[in-house]
Amino acid sequence: MIYMLTLLGNITLISITRIDTNLKTPMYLFLTNFSFLEIGYTTVTVPRMLADLLSGNKSISFKSCLTQMYFFFLFGTTEFFILALMGFDRYMAICHPLHYTNIMNKRLCYKLIFGSWISGCMTPTVPTIVLSQKPFCGSKIINHFFCDVGPIVKLSSPDTFFLDIFVFMISAVIVLGSLLLVTVSYIFIISAILRISSSSGRHKAFSTCASHFSVVTIFFGTVIFMYIRPTSGENFEMDKAISVFYSVVTPAMNPLIYSLRNNEVKKSLAKSFQRSRNSWSDMGIVYSIKFKPHSRVH
């Protein structure tokens, strides 16, 4: 049910940003990519997990496990970069409104998105190759509902100290580096908003950042607690509970956050709903006219 909500919510966001001409801005271009990543992020793990629960067959081949781990971290890493770009976009829109259109042009946005995807593809490549060369001579049971890097590292060899440090350093650079960019952007954003004299202007400026700030807080908070804490990977039961939240629950929440806390998205959804109602009403009128003569003959 949650997976279907994730698909429905993110596909709806992608659709309205593609259809509504008022949403043809860099922020919604980034949001479209983020929604696509959320779909991939959950599709990598949830369908397989549901199939295993229904069939009772919880085995997975070694290659499939590494493939799942690779794509899970590809989508997750790219999400961090996209969230950082969205923070930079809000910084440019609020702190440099006169230069925003010229700087954040479509060409630059596509370059930034392309760079995020390339970086996301490259980041998990080395850990995946390293793990593929490990002997895995002990237990073959993964204490998780998907092939997460922590449990796989623990199974790879008796001594995993250096591999743990390697994975920790990659996670720290990606997560904390992205968080630093977002934090710096919001420091300048808040400083600029506080200098706005009118309360309505401050409220409008804050409202443009509210949805992004909410998503950043939830996503970064859970992932940092999962991967950046010193004892990451030791308490597997807690890790599994946290993994369910950030890999299943959070992607379902994000479309709701962007639709409920973003006035432009709410207006676009309302217009789409009204157009749908009008279309169905028109179809109903056509049907009544078409079938009315038949009712007289009968």
Side-chain angles (χ1 to χ4, degrees):
M1 183 64 179
I2 295 178
Y3 178 62
M4 296 305 297
L5 288 175
T6 301
L7 292 180
L8 179 62
N10 284 289
I11 289 173
T12 300
L13 271 181
I14 292 172
S15 300
I16 63 172
T17 54
R18 299 296 297 175
I19 294 172
D20 196 330
T21 55
N22 294 322
L23 302 182
K24 301 293 184 182
T25 62
M27 182 176 74
Y28 294 104
L29 180 60
F30 295 138
L31 180 58
T32 299
N33 275 265
F34 185 75
S35 295
F36 180 80
L37 287 165
E38 292 280 71
I39 293 172
Y41 193 62
T42 54
T43 302
V44 167
T45 57
V46 176
R48 175 76 193 221
M49 179 184 67
L50 295 175
D52 291 344
L53 290 173
L54 292 173
S55 65
N57 179 20
K58 299 181 181 180
S59 62
I60 185 171
S61 68
F62 180 65
K63 290 183 179 179
S64 297
C65 188
L66 287 182
T67 301
Q68 186 186 62
M69 185 196 76
Y70 173 82
F71 280 101
F72 182 77
F73 280 93
L74 184 158
F75 290 123
T77 301
T78 310
E79 280 193 3
F80 285 115
F81 296 142
I82 294 295
L83 285 172
L85 290 180
M86 293 170 76
F88 176 72
D89 173 74
R90 292 299 82 206
Y91 158 75
M92 291 300 303
I94 293 174
C95 299
H96 303 282
L98 298 179
H99 303 287
Y100 175 73
T101 305
N102 291 329
I103 295 175
M104 297 300 292
N105 56 67
K106 187 174 289 187
R107 184 176 181 179
L108 176 63
C109 291
Y110 281 124
K111 285 182 178 180
L112 292 173
I113 291 170
F114 180 75
S116 298
W117 277 92
I118 293 297
S119 301
C121 291
M122 292 174 62
T123 300
T125 300
V126 175
T128 304
I129 293 173
V130 171
L131 283 170
S132 68
Q133 305 302 315
K134 290 295 180 177
F136 288 89
C137 53
S139 173
K140 301 296 190 296
I141 299 175
I142 300 174
N143 188 14
H144 216 306
F145 68 88
F146 71 95
C147 293
D148 201 357
V149 65
I152 297 178
V153 167
K154 294 303 177 186
L155 297 179
S156 63
S157 61
D159 184 10
T160 61
F161 176 77
F162 290 106
L163 189 54
D164 283 332
I165 295 298
F166 179 61
V167 172
F168 175 82
M169 291 300 296
I170 292 177
S171 301
V173 170
I174 298 299
V175 178
L176 298 182
S178 302
L179 181 61
L180 178 63
L181 292 175
V182 173
T183 303
V184 171
S185 297
Y186 271 101
I187 289 173
F188 285 106
I189 287 171
I190 293 172
S191 176
I193 290 175
L194 293 177
R195 291 197 297 268
I196 299 175
S197 57
S198 65
S199 58
S200 60
R202 287 194 299 270
H203 176 74
K204 183 178 179 180
F206 271 121
S207 65
T208 62
C209 303
S211 53
H212 176 256
F213 184 77
S214 301
V215 171
V216 164
T217 302
I218 296 170
F219 191 66
F220 276 85
T222 52
V223 172
I224 287 173
F225 186 78
M226 179 72 182
Y227 294 104
I228 310 300
R229 72 184 195 273
T231 57
S232 177
E234 297 296 332
N235 190 337
F236 288 124
E237 297 304 318
M238 180 182 292
D239 287 351
K240 284 191 285 186
I242 298 170
S243 297
V244 170
F245 186 80
Y246 76 77
S247 64
V248 179
V249 178
T250 301
M253 292 170 54
N254 290 341
L256 294 175
I257 293 172
Y258 272 104
S259 59
L260 296 177
R261 305 200 66 176
N262 188 303
N263 290 329
E264 290 178 325
V265 174
K266 284 193 290 187
K267 290 178 182 178
S268 181
L269 283 171
K271 287 194 296 184
S272 299
F273 180 72
Q274 187 61 44
R275 283 197 297 266
S276 299
R277 286 188 61 184
N278 292 338
S279 298
W280 283 108
S281 298
D282 293 341
M283 292 172 66
I285 292 172
V286 171
Y287 290 149
S288 64
I289 295 173
K290 181 178 179 180
F291 288 110
K292 192 172 181 180
H294 292 276
S295 61
R296 289 176 179 175
V297 172
H298 178 73

